[in-house]
Amino acid sequence: MKFSLEGLAVYFPYEFIYPEQYQFMLECKRALDAKGHGLLEMPTGTGKTITLLALITSYQLAHPEIGKLVYCTRTVPEMEKVLQELKELVDYRSRYFLGPGQKVPQILALGLSSRKNLCVHPSVAEEGSRESVDAKCRRLTATWVRERHVSGQDIEVCDFFEQLERAGSDALLEPGVYTLEDLRIFGRKQGWCPYFLARHMLAFANVVVYNYQYMLDPKVSNMVSRELEKECIVVFDEAHNIDNVCIEALSVNLRQQTLDNAGRNITRLHSAIERAKSTDAQRLKDEYQRLVRGLQTQGNLPSADPRPAGAGGEDWLANPALPEDIMREAVPGNIRRAEHFVAFLRRFVAYLKEKLGVNQVETENPTTFLAQLQERLNIDGKTLRFCYDRLTSLLKTLEITDTDDFTPIHLVADFATLVGTYARGFAIITEPFDERMPAVRDPVMQLSCLDASLAVKPVFAKFQSVIITSGTLSPIDLYPKILNFQPVVLQSLQMTLTRDCLCPAILTRGADQMPVSTKFDMRDDPNVVRNYGRMLVELASVIPDGIVAFFVSYSYMDTIVSKWDQMGVLQDLMAAKLVFIETTDVVETTLALDNFRRACDCGRGAVFFSVARGKVAEGIDFDRHYGRAVVMFGVPYQYTLSRILRARLEYMREMFQIKESDFLAFDAVRQAAQCVGRVIRSKADYGMMVSVWATVCVHACVSVCVCMCVSLCVCVLPSSRLAPSIHNWLPEHMKIH
């Protein structure tokens, strides 16, 4: 349909539009009109993706001055889904421009992912990990490799990359919507590299779809997203965990094995420098002069300029710190010469190894770490701040392409640069062992980012409109505090239903009237374990098709399943349905999911055991007959004894006045909502949602169950602020046993 939204012609590819979709468009348009940021929640199954695409592409059509739509997703399947829906939208919109004298508006949309997902070179694509694919690609496309090939040396290069370079400015994509598979097919047909073609076409695209990391991680965003104009509209979809993504992007862990491998990397660098001195000393002298004048101004590091014609494909990840936090000046004199820099790295790694030798937990901030480092080794923060850039320059000068082998020293450089750049918002925690296994010595030094706003701040500052949206953002009022921004639109929308499609229930006691809970002092009680099992067996005997059960952790799930096996509960459960289990291995979990679906398709039925915060809880849909019931065993609180978590809670209390209890409850609610939301993927779907918690937690459980279960349409509120409307709804719809 085509309709007017406050004067804006919106093209929507369906005959009907839900009331919440219309309201969502309205709120989004107001954010775009105000050239500000928005925080919007709309429940799962209401067509959030197509609503966003229809509104923003229509807005682009009416306002040519608006820049690209940059749509950020968490996973590759989500990226492909967005592009497929956009393709259908563009096909539908073209019907309205078929009249005489009318011109169909052209649109170019594409997805961008890693080399591993786009490479079509036969030998490179066969590599297993993303790092090995990147390294082998660089070995075939680096500038010096191509120069040697041209000079007549028998060196292999990538034919796809070479043909793309020869095409030059003619290497363009026709208007259209290109999924990753479309890019691979086009690349094979033309003989062009899909990855570098997609990178090249970013400047011409109207819509770009890629992963969060391409926008939030400074190492990637400075390389990929730097040229995007201010007028772009940035969307973070499924952004309920965006704060965790920001923190992970600026955190580094160093273990003993990492430092040992880094030491071997340093030895290889020293050998490479000695070889360069004997064969091509001028190269090192030229690098030294560039460093005297400054890295970026001499083009030895990535800049804001596009990749020049004829350049190789050896692009390195950019600085792990944010651009405005790095002073672009001459590199400190004590690390300009290659041999001096390697000596510095050797001393710094030795110091880190010494720090790992502690017998008790140590926590310090970057300021304290730098003071001790200055006292012991006479190394200052400025030297550390340029460590990553200097390492990148040296690797390029030495013409090293096997980057996957040098990952350990890159991690050390990450650590050094972040410590040297930020005085606040970070904690350095050194633990000699995992407190859950104190008998096994496994030292780790964790540089943990405590402030999620550090990574997302440049995004809010650079782009005029950023839309953060998800189906499970509630309690929504905490996000502006955590991310430290002021949205012009903040709205949580409810789902409209024409029938009862959900049956939420809270179980507080077993059949023997014993309370059930995953609290630490009750979780191993045989009566609790048995009641959990008997309840699941009874559900499996009467509910058809698929059931999904979520546990609070992998270790707890393993314990429960083992005890169920000893009690005979597992055998009774398997008599009713087949049982499949999520593991930490991606391949095993994928195989288990495939067999789970086959069991549901053939009518046998199955139960899938999964874990809150796991891969399945975050990205796998159990729609239709694959999920007729979901069972949530306990409240998925974070491990509250984690020192990193405690440091972050203390930081948020001091900086943002967020209480520890409020954040822990907020995080548990959004994770539980993600779990139970896996089974309702549309308004035509239906299912039962069972939450198993203790009687003492009923008030909190009702709040959580309402926010995540109640037709997925009631806004999430902490238990202390439970809305009167929820209390009115409960007697009619909620069953508490």
Side-chain angles (χ1 to χ4, degrees):
M1 70 169 71
K2 177 183 177 182
F3 64 93
S4 177
L5 181 74
E6 292 187 340
L8 173 68
V10 177
Y11 300 91
F12 190 70
Y14 295 101
E15 188 176 351
F16 302 100
I17 185 170
Y18 299 142
E20 55 269 34
Q21 288 179 313
Y22 184 87
Q23 185 64 31
F24 189 88
M25 286 186 180
L26 197 61
E27 299 293 343
C28 187
K29 180 180 179 297
R30 289 170 180 169
L32 300 182
D33 288 340
K35 297 183 179 180
H37 311 310
L39 191 59
L40 298 170
E41 178 185 34
M42 188 164 73
T44 299
T46 52
K48 180 170 67 274
T49 301
I50 192 61
T51 304
L52 275 168
L53 293 175
L55 184 278
I56 297 177
T57 54
S58 298
Y59 200 90
Q60 286 178 315
L61 196 61
H63 300 272
E65 71 278 6
I66 292 296
K68 298 175 178 60
L69 164 60
V70 183
Y71 202 105
C72 302
T73 67
R74 296 175 305 165
T75 64
V76 172
E78 288 177 359
M79 181 192 309
E80 295 283 63
K81 180 183 175 184
V82 170
L83 289 167
Q84 192 58 45
E85 293 200 34
L86 179 59
K87 187 178 294 187
E88 296 173 2
L89 172 62
V90 171
D91 290 343
Y92 175 83
R93 189 175 71 175
S94 63
R95 303 175 190 174
Y96 287 90
F97 297 91
L98 299 179
Q102 288 185 308
K103 183 180 180 181
V104 178
Q106 300 295 318
I107 185 172
L108 175 61
L110 55 87
L112 178 63
S113 188
S114 64
R115 289 174 171 90
K116 179 174 175 56
N117 294 321
L118 284 172
C119 182
V120 293
H121 190 284
S123 62
V124 178
E126 290 177 354
E127 294 291 327
S129 67
R130 178 178 58 81
E131 291 79 9
S132 59
V133 171
D134 290 349
K136 192 162 186 179
C137 176
R138 291 189 180 100
R139 284 196 286 270
L140 299 178
T141 60
T143 304
W144 53 88
V145 173
R146 300 175 63 221
E147 289 175 351
R148 292 170 186 169
H149 176 76
V150 171
S151 66
Q153 298 185 36
D154 186 17
I155 296 179
E156 182 185 3
V157 294
C158 177
D159 292 335
F160 293 95
F161 183 80
E162 294 300 320
Q163 292 190 52
L164 178 66
E165 289 296 303
R166 282 194 290 269
S169 59
D170 294 330
L172 298 173
L173 287 169
E174 294 293 329
V177 180
Y178 296 86
T179 64
L180 300 185
E181 179 61 24
D182 293 335
L183 288 172
R184 288 193 293 267
I185 293 173
F186 183 84
R188 291 190 185 98
K189 180 181 177 181
Q190 297 293 125
W192 296 344
C193 172
Y195 173 76
F196 285 103
L197 175 63
R199 289 272 302 274
H200 171 64
M201 293 305 298
L202 286 182
F204 306 95
N206 306 103
V207 180
V208 178
V209 184
Y210 55 39
N211 190 272
Y212 281 20
Q213 302 294 339
Y214 286 69
M215 185 62 71
L216 296 176
D217 189 339
K219 295 191 292 295
V220 184
S221 64
N222 291 344
M223 182 178 69
V224 175
S225 305
R226 193 165 184 163
E227 300 166 41
L228 297 177
E229 59 269 26
K230 178 177 178 60
E231 292 75 21
C232 288
I233 300 171
V234 178
V235 173
F236 290 102
D237 196 6
E238 298 298 335
H240 48 277
N241 282 333
I242 190 172
D243 56 314
N244 294 332
V245 176
C246 294
I247 283 175
E248 290 171 7
L250 294 177
S251 298
V252 181
N253 288 350
L254 298 178
R255 297 185 177 275
Q256 186 68 48
Q257 183 180 8
T258 306
L259 296 180
D260 291 341
N261 291 334
R264 286 187 277 272
N265 290 160
I266 293 171
T267 301
R268 286 184 60 182
L269 288 175
H270 178 73
S271 301
I273 291 171
E274 293 302 316
R275 285 196 303 271
K277 283 182 178 179
S278 61
T279 59
D280 191 3
Q282 189 60 40
R283 245 195 303 152
L284 295 174
K285 293 179 181 178
D286 291 342
E287 184 200 32
Y288 176 78
Q289 293 301 322
R290 287 195 297 267
L291 297 177
V292 170
R293 293 187 293 269
L295 282 167
Q296 189 176 29
T297 57
Q298 297 302 314
N300 209 39
L301 286 179
S303 66
D305 300 326
R307 189 172 61 91
E314 73 280 4
D315 50 350
W316 294 80
L317 294 180
N319 198 296
L322 301 171
E324 61 269 28
D325 298 319
I326 291 290
M327 297 172 61
R328 292 300 180 182
E329 56 188 48
V331 173
N334 60 336
I335 59 172
R336 287 178 191 165
R337 294 194 181 277
E339 56 270 28
H340 294 169
F341 177 60
V342 169
F344 154 77
L345 286 177
R346 199 183 299 278
R347 294 166 59 209
F348 185 62
V349 169
Y351 178 76
L352 294 178
K353 286 183 178 180
E354 182 182 335
K355 295 278 289 184
L356 274 183
V358 298
N359 294 318
Q360 60 184 8
V361 178
E362 292 186 359
T363 301
E364 55 190 339
N365 57 38
T367 304
T368 305
F369 180 91
L370 289 175
Q372 295 176 357
L373 186 65
Q374 176 76 31
E375 181 181 350
R376 290 287 305 277
L377 302 181
N378 198 27
I379 295 175
D380 60 5
K382 183 178 179 181
T383 302
L384 294 183
R385 190 159 60 243
F386 283 90
C387 186
Y388 193 93
D389 287 349
R390 182 65 187 90
L391 176 62
T392 300
S393 173
L394 179 60
L395 291 172
K396 293 181 70 175
T397 300
L398 296 176
E399 299 181 352
I400 293 175
T401 55
D402 49 346
T403 53
D404 52 339
D405 293 341
F406 285 84
T407 299
I409 195 63
H410 269 293
L411 287 175
V412 172
D414 282 354
F415 181 94
T417 300
L418 291 169
V419 169
T421 303
Y422 298 103
R424 302 195 63 179
F426 284 80
I428 303 172
I429 302 174
T430 307
E431 297 178 292
F433 50 78
D434 189 329
E435 61 185 29
R436 287 171 286 190
M437 293 185 293
V440 180
R441 182 170 178 80
D442 183 21
V444 58
M445 181 180 294
Q446 304 168 90
L447 174 64
S448 179
C449 177
L450 308 177
D451 190 350
S453 66
L454 290 176
V456 78
K457 178 182 176 182
V459 181
F460 290 131
K462 179 176 181 178
F463 302 106
Q464 68 179 24
S465 292
V466 178
I467 306 297
I468 296 177
T469 182
S470 179
T472 52
L473 286 178
S474 298
I476 199 169
D477 58 336
L478 272 183
Y479 281 93
K481 294 182 180 180
I482 295 174
L483 301 179
N484 194 23
F485 78 111
Q486 295 296 326
V488 296
V489 171
L490 188 149
Q491 191 65 252
S492 182
L493 305 177
Q494 299 183 4
M495 178 189 285
T496 56
L497 291 174
T498 58
R499 64 185 181 93
D500 289 335
C501 62
L502 295 177
C503 179
I506 297 177
L507 180 73
T508 61
R509 294 178 180 272
D512 57 1
Q513 296 304 303
M514 291 291 294
V516 291
S517 174
T518 56
K519 291 173 60 178
F520 184 78
D521 56 346
M522 294 179 63
R523 61 172 55 187
D524 293 328
D525 189 316
N527 292 322
V528 173
V529 175
R530 185 180 296 105
N531 280 324
Y532 279 166
R534 298 316 309 173
M535 181 272 299
L536 190 58
V537 170
E538 291 173 8
L539 288 176
S541 63
V542 295
I543 295 177
D545 301 319
I547 297 177
V548 188
F550 286 97
F551 297 83
V552 293
S553 67
Y554 282 107
S555 60
Y556 185 61
M557 179 175 68
D558 293 343
T559 302
I560 290 293
V561 172
S562 176
K563 291 186 177 182
W564 281 351
D565 184 44
Q566 297 171 8
M567 295 176 178
V569 172
L570 203 57
Q571 289 75 11
D572 294 341
L573 182 61
M574 294 182 69
K577 295 183 185 295
L578 299 181
V579 176
F580 300 93
I581 302 178
E582 176 188 6
T583 68
T584 54
D585 185 271
V586 176
V587 177
E588 288 181 356
T589 300
T590 302
L591 183 61
L593 283 167
D594 182 59
N595 289 326
F596 170 83
R597 289 193 169 95
R598 291 172 59 189
C600 294
D601 290 338
C602 72
R604 176 67 172 84
V607 180
F608 195 89
F609 292 165
S610 188
V611 175
R613 306 176 194 277
K615 296 293 184 182
V616 172
E618 286 295 325
I620 304 299
D621 295 341
F622 294 90
D623 56 335
R624 299 178 290 116
H625 62 292
Y626 299 125
R628 289 307 180 204
V630 58
V631 182
M632 186 76 220
F633 290 107
V635 185
Y637 285 109
Q638 292 193 54
Y639 179 57
T640 53
L641 296 181
S642 165
R643 291 179 175 85
I644 293 177
L645 175 61
R646 285 189 290 185
R648 186 184 178 194
L649 292 174
E650 181 179 351
Y651 181 84
M652 288 192 293
R653 186 179 65 250
E654 293 178 358
M655 298 299 297
F656 306 126
Q657 290 73 54
I658 298 176
K659 295 180 181 178
E660 296 179 3
S661 57
D662 287 348
F663 179 79
L664 290 173
F666 152 79
D667 184 69
V669 164
R670 64 178 175 177
Q671 299 302 332
Q674 273 298 111
C675 293
V676 300
R678 294 299 93 199
V679 300
I680 300 296
R681 310 309 299 174
S682 73
K683 292 191 177 186
D685 216 344
Y686 63 91
M688 183 176 184
M689 298 179 177
V690 182
S691 302
V692 189
W693 292 316
T695 305
V696 295
C697 301
V698 166
H699 191 54
C701 295
V702 168
S703 173
V704 173
C705 210
V706 165
C707 60
M708 64 189 176
C709 308
V710 178
S711 307
L712 298 181
C713 68
V714 180
C715 184
V716 183
L717 295 172
S719 56
S720 61
R721 291 178 285 168
L722 212 57
S725 59
I726 296 178
H727 288 294
N728 295 334
W729 182 91
L730 285 175
E732 181 180 354
H733 294 275
M734 183 74 74
K735 305 292 185 182
I736 302 180
H737 299 283

